[in-house]
Amino acid sequence: AAGAVKIFVAVADVDALVTKGSHIDTHAWTNTTSVYTSARVFAMLPERLSTDLTSLNADQDRLAIVTEMVVAPDASVTQATLYRALVRNHAKLAYDALSAWIEGDGPLPEAARAVAGLDVQLRTQDTVAQQLRVQRHAQGSLELETFQPKAVFDGERVVDLRQQVQNRARQLIEEFMIATNECSAHFLAAAAGASLRRVVRSPERWLRIVEVASRYGENLPKAPDSVALAAFLAKRHRADPLRFPDLSLVIVKLMGSGEYVVERPGGPPIGHFGLAVRDYTHSTAPNRRFPDLVTQRMVKAVLTGNQPPYSVAELQALAEHCTVQEDAVQKVERRMRKSEAALLLESHVGQSYDAIVTGSSATDMWVRIFAPPAEGRLESGPRGLEVGQQVRVELVSTNVERGYIDFVLVD
């Protein structure tokens, strides 16, 4: 069709090297997912597999599963085909350098310059990704901005904390990954088989979300409505970007965490409330998330005409195991971020900072300082302060092991 663009997304065929039931498969199942800290990555698979053999490295031939999508000018995916292929990565690019070029703030990265016509391809990909993004938000996909600063190291020393900025190159990959995950879900559903889905259920605490919105003078519907919530969040982001990460965190907590479930043909759809999609499976990172490897094996079985590699009971057990493990990993990553911040700040005790009040309970109050971006407890406790209020605080103590950072108000 006129104006349609064909997008190819290749994902390394991890199953070709990690066979079901092998010792490495058991190792991957035990880990379930890679753990990311600023200091190092604890990979789900042994390092040689993780960073080399199951990675689409530059100038290497790799087995892959390709999702070929036709994206119409209205950003709908009108056609999707999945197949096995041998692929070769001609240019390995870094997010920030590529984003700088897309946004007109830097040159085309050298690796991209070396491939004729890649600049035009990248422009086309960026255009399609932004169309997909606009369409997704119109359907109610939530734009959240959580506070997750990462430590910057100089050798063994933590020298800074930086909040990762969502840029155009990250958005490009994110949009194509979401589209690929939807295509994988549709592909398995069309084959009339069960599949492992990633879901965020319609929030049970929706009325609490309605209450939060009402504090900003907004009226949300009484029943869960992702389009209305997305519009409210977009409005707040424009009105008050400084406090938006704190509002995002409140909404994330009220929505509840994601989980893995088994969906069968004809069964009740659960969907992903945060992404405003009905069919969503993890399929794009099989070398760092076990559910993606399971999905890859299910897809390959359909492509080769073989029986599904997992029974419904096995999938059910996997869904529960992967949900528990992923929750545990998120706690570890959160704890590490707190310890990294405490490590950076331990030599800054006695310094004063501009801060914003981010939360309160009956006994405690929390504040977030801006430079470096870090969060801690306000020792002097509530004194007529309100969440969102800007204050001046002094750092009085840190505990690296526990990840504690304590401040007092500067009068």
Side-chain angles (χ1 to χ4, degrees):
V5 176
K6 194 174 277 186
I7 299 289
F8 298 82
V9 175
V11 173
D13 184 351
V14 178
D15 173 64
L17 292 167
V18 181
T19 52
K20 182 177 183 271
S22 64
H23 289 306
I24 292 178
D25 186 45
T26 304
H27 174 84
W29 173 88
T30 304
N31 290 337
T32 308
T33 180
S34 294
V35 182
Y36 291 86
T37 72
S38 302
R40 65 174 283 200
V41 175
F42 298 87
M44 178 182 81
L45 294 170
E47 192 171 344
R48 173 107 199 275
L49 280 170
S50 181
T51 59
D52 181 9
L53 300 176
T54 66
S55 223
L56 301 183
N57 290 343
D59 300 318
Q60 298 292 323
D61 289 337
R62 292 283 186 258
L63 290 171
I65 304 296
V66 173
T67 303
E68 184 183 312
M69 297 171 278
V70 177
V71 183
D74 67 357
S76 61
V77 178
T78 56
Q79 196 183 323
T81 313
L82 278 72
Y83 50 85
R84 301 172 74 188
L86 188 68
V87 302
R88 190 174 184 86
N89 179 357
H90 291 280
K92 190 160 184 165
L93 306 175
Y95 285 117
D96 293 347
L98 179 60
S99 194
W101 173 73
I102 290 172
E103 293 171 23
D105 296 328
L108 181 67
E110 201 175 320
R113 281 204 303 274
V115 182
L118 188 54
D119 55 342
V120 178
Q121 271 202 45
L122 289 167
R123 289 280 181 216
T124 303
Q125 289 178 19
D126 173 58
T127 301
V128 172
Q130 290 303 316
Q131 288 168 342
L132 287 168
R133 190 172 182 80
V134 168
Q135 168 79 347
R136 199 160 54 79
H137 289 157
Q139 290 170 348
S141 183
L142 306 182
E143 187 72 15
L144 296 159
E145 186 184 301
T146 49
F147 180 67
Q148 295 183 336
K150 294 185 74 174
V152 178
F153 282 82
D154 178 7
E156 297 284 305
R157 284 186 323 119
V158 177
V159 293
D160 199 3
L161 293 173
R162 279 187 208 143
Q163 175 77 351
Q164 186 173 283
V165 179
Q166 179 68 316
N167 59 36
R168 287 278 277 276
R170 290 182 195 283
Q171 288 170 358
L172 188 157
I173 297 299
E174 181 182 22
E175 293 307 323
F176 291 160
M177 294 303 106
I178 291 171
T180 301
N181 286 333
E182 284 188 79
C183 290
S184 299
H186 292 148
F187 177 81
L188 290 174
S195 62
L196 202 57
R197 298 289 178 92
R198 181 69 177 171
V199 304
V200 174
R201 295 174 189 273
S202 189
E204 288 174 17
R205 289 174 286 186
W206 175 257
L207 291 179
R208 291 276 305 282
I209 293 175
V210 172
E211 205 179 289
V212 169
S214 70
R215 287 184 220 144
Y216 296 90
E218 295 291 326
N219 292 315
L220 292 179
K222 293 290 180 272
D225 184 330
S226 63
V227 175
L229 179 57
F232 161 66
L233 289 169
K235 190 173 175 182
R236 289 314 308 161
H237 189 267
R238 286 193 301 272
D240 193 354
L242 183 69
R243 294 169 181 81
F244 188 70
D246 309 308
L247 173 62
S248 290
L249 183 60
V250 169
I251 299 299
V252 166
K253 285 180 174 174
L254 289 173
M255 276 174 41
S257 56
E259 61 186 290
Y260 293 100
V261 299
V262 178
E263 199 157 295
R264 302 179 221 191
I270 299 167
H272 195 301
F273 185 86
L275 292 173
V277 294
R278 198 193 85 75
D279 299 303
Y280 196 75
T281 187
H282 273 171
S283 66
T284 52
N287 66 349
R288 56 188 177 86
R289 272 192 314 233
F290 199 74
D292 302 52
L293 180 53
V294 169
T295 297
Q296 186 175 80
R297 287 171 177 157
M298 303 290 278
V299 166
K300 281 178 71 176
V302 175
L303 290 174
T304 54
N306 291 325
Q307 286 297 307
Y310 299 93
S311 67
V312 172
E314 279 181 297
L315 287 175
Q316 202 75 54
L318 278 166
E320 289 169 20
H321 170 73
C322 293
T323 298
V324 168
Q325 288 291 85
E326 205 155 286
D327 288 348
V329 164
Q330 284 174 357
K331 282 179 187 163
V332 167
E333 290 176 346
R334 267 200 305 272
R335 177 69 180 272
M336 284 298 294
R337 282 196 297 273
K338 288 179 179 178
S339 289
E340 289 162 2
L343 184 61
L344 175 71
L345 288 170
E346 70 176 349
S347 60
H348 295 251
V349 169
Q351 286 191 21
S352 297
Y353 299 91
D354 288 323
I356 189 169
V357 179
T358 56
S360 65
S361 68
T363 54
D364 289 309
M365 190 153 261
W366 288 269
V367 294
R368 171 163 59 86
I369 62 173
F370 304 119
E375 198 159 28
R377 190 170 64 97
L378 192 60
E379 266 195 355
S380 46
R383 268 197 258 153
L385 295 177
E386 290 184 6
V387 172
Q389 192 171 330
Q390 285 191 255
V391 290
R392 186 82 177 160
V393 296
E394 182 188 319
L395 177 65
V396 289
S397 69
T398 64
N399 183 317
V400 175
E401 195 179 328
R402 291 172 173 244
Y404 290 172
I405 299 170
D406 292 329
F407 299 96
V408 293
L409 277 178
V410 175
D411 294 322

